[in-house]
C-alpha cells in the first residue's frame, strides 16, 4: 500500500493552502492508498477525517507534527498531544509508552526544525523521513544516508501545503493497512520503504544511488 505519511491541510495547519477534501481527491487520482494528516501541534481533524474516510472509502491516518527542542517529530498513536514544548527523547518515550510511533521529519532541513545529527542520541525512534517533498535533495540524501547507517526505517512524505505536492514522496507499506493499529504495527515491524511520484507513477527510492 502507498501512503503519503506527512501532509498538512488548511483548517488546522494555517500555513497550508489545501483542504482535506482536496488532498483526498488528488491522492486517489494519482494512485495513493491512504494519507496521513500531520497538522502542526494538532490532531483536531480526527472526527472530520473519520467521516470523510468512510464517505470516500479511503484510508486517512491522523497524527501530528510536533516541534521539540531538537526538531520536528511526526507522532502517531497519541490521543492527547503535549501541552508544552519538550525534548525529543521525552516525547518519544511518552509516545512509545502509549503504543505509538515517532518519525523524525525532514531531519536535515536547515530552518531550525530538523534534528540532524542529534538523531544519533535518541532511543526508540521508529523512523526517519528520508525523502521530504519540501526539502532540498541534498538534505534528503543526508537523511537517507544516516537512516541506512543507523538501520532505522526510511519514510517518504510530501509535506503537502499545496495541492501540487500531494504524493511527491510517499511510503510503501507491505501488507494491508486498514487503520491506525495496522499502520503502527507495520512501522514497528519495519515493513516500509520510501517511494517517489515521477512521470505519473510511483517508483522505489531505495534502489537509487545517493551522492
Amino acid at each position: 500500500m502507498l501512503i503519503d505519511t506527512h501532509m498538512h491541510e488548511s483548517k488546522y495547519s494555517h500555513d497550508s493552502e489545501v483542504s482535506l477534501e482536496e488532498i483526498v481527491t488528488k491522492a486517489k487520482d494519482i494512485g495513493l492508498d491512504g494519507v496521513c494528516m500531520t497538522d502542526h501541534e494538532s490532531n483536531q481533524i480526527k472526527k472530520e477525517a473519520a467521516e470523510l474516510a468512510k464517505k470516500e472509502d479511503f484510508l486517512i491516518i491522523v497524527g501530528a507534527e510536533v516541534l521539540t527542542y531538537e526538531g520536528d517529530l511526526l507522532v502517531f498513536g497519541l490521543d492527547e498531544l503535549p501541552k508544552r514544548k519538550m525534548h525529543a527523547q521525552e516525547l518519544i518515550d511518552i509516545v512509545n509508552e502509549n503504543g505509538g510511533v515517532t518519525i523524525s521529519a525532514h531531519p536535515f532541513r536547515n530552518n531550525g526544525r530538523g534534528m540532524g545529527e542529534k538523531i544519533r542520541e535518541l532511543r526508540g525512534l521508529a523512523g526517519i523521513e528520508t525523502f521530504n517533498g519540501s526539502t532540498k535533495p541534498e538534505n534528503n540524501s543526508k537523511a537517507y544516508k544516516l537512516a541506512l547507517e543507523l538501520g532505522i526505517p526510511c519514510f517518504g512524505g510530501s509535506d503537502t501545503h499545496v495541492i501540487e505536492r500531494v504524493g511527491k514522496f510517499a511510503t510503501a507499506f507491505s501488507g494491508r493497512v486498514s487503520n491506525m493499529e495496522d499502520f503502527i504495527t507495520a512501522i514497528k515491524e519495519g515493513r516500509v520503504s520510501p517511494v517517489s511520484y515521477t512521470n505519473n507513477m510511483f517508483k522505489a527510492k531505495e534502489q537509487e544511488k545517493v551522492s
Side-chain angles (χ1 to χ4, degrees), residues 53-134:
K54 184 176 181 180
K55 176 184 175 183
E56 296 291 334
D57 190 25
F58 188 76
L59 179 67
I60 305 175
I61 300 290
V62 177
E65 183 174 20
V66 179
L67 179 61
T68 71
Y69 287 109
E70 289 74 26
D72 280 320
L73 280 175
L74 300 179
V75 172
F76 298 96
L78 193 63
D79 291 332
E80 296 292 330
L81 297 177
K83 300 291 192 294
R84 61 178 173 85
K85 190 174 181 179
M86 58 181 61
H87 287 287
Q89 188 62 63
E90 183 181 3
L91 180 56
I92 291 170
D93 291 343
I94 290 172
V95 174
N96 287 345
E97 287 166 6
N98 283 272
V101 291
T102 53
I103 300 166
S104 174
H106 43 65
F108 286 94
R109 185 184 293 175
N110 50 5
N111 65 346
R113 301 184 71 101
M115 293 182 170
E117 295 292 336
K118 295 174 185 175
I119 287 175
R120 297 180 182 276
E121 304 166 10
L122 299 177
R123 303 175 308 279
L125 185 68
I128 295 176
E129 186 179 58
T130 53
F131 296 95
N132 174 284
S134 299

Side-chain angles (χ1 to χ4, degrees), residues 4 6-8 15-18 38 40 65 72 105-111 113-114 129-141 155-170 195:
D4 189 334
H6 186 174
M7 312 185 86
H8 299 274
D15 58 347
S16 176
E17 301 175 5
V18 60
T38 52
H40 298 290
E65 183 174 20
D72 280 320
H106 43 65
F108 286 94
R109 185 184 293 175
N110 50 5
N111 65 346
R113 301 184 71 101
E129 186 179 58
T130 53
F131 296 95
N132 174 284
S134 299
T135 298
K136 294 179 180 179
E138 58 266 32
N139 291 336
N140 282 335
S141 293
F155 288 78
S158 66
D159 201 356
T160 289
H161 289 75
V162 294
I163 195 68
E164 294 81 11
R165 199 169 288 151
V166 171
K168 180 176 179 180
F169 293 115
V195 298

